[in-house]
Amino acid sequence: PAQIVAYVLGIAMVILVFVPTLGRNRLIALGLAAMWGWTGIVYHWGYFAAINKAAPVFAALFVLQSALLLYFGVLTEGVKFRASRGPRAWVGWALVAYAAVLYPLIGFRLGHSLEEVPMFGITPCPVTIFTFGLLLLAAPMPRALLAIPFIWSLVGGSAAFLLGVPQDWVLLLAGVAALPLTLNSRRV
């Protein structure tokens, strides 16, 4: 059931990018913070720690990213999400679509079952790709929000090589593409 909640949350965040309602920036940041917090606590700490000794460090980083999103996005509303045009926005929307739709479909196509496919909103790589996508739709955007997703794009993206997870090629590309695109925008 967590996958269903994650998809509903993701759809709501995408809709909010287009709807200029009071508090939309805070709600989107809160949704992202929930995904990062869930992934840190439930995935890394609760599941991944049994098979990887570095998982508690990953858990701490994901919880820290959740806290950064809460601070910059919810408490100070220092992130403004908007539906815009141009190369940065197109890359952002492509990453959002990839994380939510294509990432799991590639896993299914490779023969993985529902229980085996890293799902949107509750596992680290799709959450990171989705975050990069939404951050590309934000300005201003505090630089501090990029550090942990970029680190994870390298760590998690290594699975493309080491574990033969082809979906994670885009994770590597997302980090490399998102950094220059977001650093050239207005920031805090």
Side-chain angles (χ1 to χ4, degrees):
Q3 295 95 328
I4 295 168
V5 172
Y7 271 98
V8 169
L9 184 59
I11 290 167
M13 286 188 278
V14 167
I15 290 170
L16 284 169
V17 169
F18 290 99
V19 180
T21 60
L22 186 63
R24 78 169 172 173
N25 297 310
R26 286 186 166 104
L27 290 171
I28 294 169
L30 184 61
L32 285 173
M35 287 181 173
W36 280 83
W38 170 277
T39 304
I41 295 166
V42 176
Y43 181 85
H44 281 300
W45 186 263
Y47 168 73
F48 203 48
I51 59 173
N52 188 323
K53 291 182 183 195
V57 173
F58 301 150
L61 286 172
F62 272 67
V63 170
L64 176 58
Q65 180 69 16
S66 178
L68 290 170
L69 285 160
L70 288 172
Y71 176 76
F72 288 112
V74 179
L75 294 178
T76 67
E77 199 174 6
V79 185
K80 308 286 185 199
F81 298 93
R82 70 213 183 318
S84 60
R85 298 176 193 242
R88 180 181 158 154
W90 287 109
V91 172
W93 286 120
L95 292 175
V96 165
Y98 183 84
V101 179
L102 294 177
Y103 193 101
L105 287 179
I106 292 169
F108 292 137
R109 178 72 175 106
L110 293 172
H112 298 128
S113 69
L114 182 62
E115 294 81 21
E116 297 171 320
V117 172
M119 292 301 289
F120 168 77
I122 60 171
T123 59
C125 297
V127 166
T128 304
I129 295 167
F130 185 73
T131 301
F132 276 130
L134 285 180
L135 290 178
L136 285 169
L137 300 171
M141 198 275 307
R143 285 183 174 181
L145 294 178
L146 292 173
I148 293 170
F150 181 73
I151 290 167
W152 187 256
S153 75
L154 300 176
V155 172
S158 68
F161 297 105
L162 302 174
L163 303 175
V165 181
Q167 304 94 300
D168 288 341
W169 281 105
V170 173
L171 177 60
L172 284 168
L173 294 173
V176 170
L179 269 184
L181 288 170
T182 53
L183 291 177
N184 288 331
S185 69
R186 287 180 41 208
R187 59 195 174 268
V188 177

